[in-house]
Amino acid sequence: MDEFASACVSVRDRVVPSDMVEGFDAAWLEYVRDDVRLAEAATMTPCVARMVTSELHPPRDGDPVGRFSGRVPPLGRLLPDLGEHEPALRRLVMVTVAYGYFAMIDAEAIAAIAGQAVRPIVAGRRAEQVWPSWVTNMGTGTLLAQVAGKKEIGKVQNICGESLYQGLLDLGLVGRRRRKVPYMGRFYAHAGMLLRVVQRDPLLPEPASESPAITNRWPFEEMPAE
């Protein structure tokens, strides 16, 4: 199982422990635990892998993937010497993005139970096709706000902000002073939620910026996955 699908399993099992399934709606449970969801996540692994790499090893000149301002720095600028912690940090960021992605799967399941139409993943859409729209809309909340309420988005972002902070604290990489870490987690949560939205949108949204320099700053084929 690849790293993003594995991260989604980790999130799913945290939200729905295997020994506590009796307390959940059967239809909801069937949807979120369906292995099809993992296959859908796996197709987006090249996108997420490149984004996480950019967060841990941000370019010296220019912004990391999806960022157009320096208000919230990438994790690699807060912790420039990753050392032996790099695998754990990569997993931590990957799981944080996966939580946002899973939150939208959860929303789909709830909508289906309520009898609402659920837009399926576009069959055959490759990561290369999703990448430009995803990374260029990541720095704005406009697209996500069209399909999710402000309260729901904020809840997911807050959970991810606290989770990222606690993960770094457990690794001994940050102190009790919170600084900007929770805001990083919020950004990763937004990225995960947005990825699911773009993946299932029948018409890929145009990049948020019309500037070719921004759109092409992170060419999919040339950026290493790790």
Side-chain angles (χ1 to χ4, degrees):
M1 184 181 298
D2 66 50
E3 58 179 347
F4 185 53
S6 174
C8 288
V9 169
S10 176
V11 172
R12 184 193 67 186
D13 291 347
R14 182 176 18 165
V15 175
V16 193
S18 58
D19 59 346
M20 296 177 60
V21 295
E22 292 82 1
F24 294 92
D25 181 276
W28 179 90
L29 195 63
E30 181 180 4
Y31 187 91
V32 301
R33 293 184 68 89
D34 193 331
D35 286 342
V36 171
R37 306 288 87 78
L38 298 182
E40 292 165 350
T43 62
M44 294 296 104
T45 295
C47 289
V48 182
R50 283 161 174 77
M51 180 238 179
V52 173
T53 297
S54 178
E55 285 295 307
L56 298 182
H57 300 283
R60 293 181 179 179
D61 299 319
D63 297 317
V65 165
R67 295 180 181 270
F68 306 112
S69 74
R71 289 182 299 175
V72 180
L75 188 57
R77 291 207 177 121
L78 177 67
L79 304 170
D81 184 14
L82 303 179
E84 64 181 7
H85 294 292
E86 181 163 355
L89 287 171
R90 185 175 181 85
R91 176 70 175 180
L92 182 60
V93 176
M94 189 77 63
V95 168
T96 308
V97 175
Y99 192 98
Y101 187 88
F102 183 84
M104 297 309 293
I105 293 176
D106 172 38
E108 294 166 11
I110 292 173
I113 293 171
Q116 301 173 11
V118 176
R119 185 175 292 166
I121 294 299
V122 179
R125 179 172 288 167
R126 303 185 309 277
E128 294 93 329
Q129 296 171 303
V130 170
W131 174 261
S133 296
W134 182 49
V135 298
T136 55
N137 283 282
M138 202 183 292
T140 171
T142 304
L143 185 57
L144 184 57
Q146 294 176 9
V147 297
K150 184 177 180 180
K151 183 178 180 180
E152 288 73 21
I153 296 172
K155 180 180 178 180
V156 175
Q157 289 180 322
N158 287 337
I159 290 172
C160 289
E162 291 300 317
S163 179
L164 181 68
Y165 170 74
Q166 188 60 52
L168 294 177
L169 190 64
D170 292 343
L171 289 170
L173 297 176
V174 295
R176 293 292 176 180
R177 186 180 179 186
R178 298 162 61 84
R179 297 198 290 181
K180 293 186 176 182
V181 172
Y183 295 99
M184 295 177 189
R186 292 173 64 87
F187 178 79
Y188 301 150
H190 176 268
M193 297 175 81
L194 179 65
L195 180 60
R196 183 74 182 179
V197 171
V198 175
Q199 186 183 10
R200 73 180 190 224
D201 197 313
L203 297 175
L204 280 172
E206 292 295 324
S209 171
E210 296 179 357
S211 169
I214 292 176
T215 303
N216 298 320
R217 184 170 295 167
W218 314 291
F220 189 92
E221 294 81 1
E222 296 178 11
M223 188 170 187
E226 51 181 80

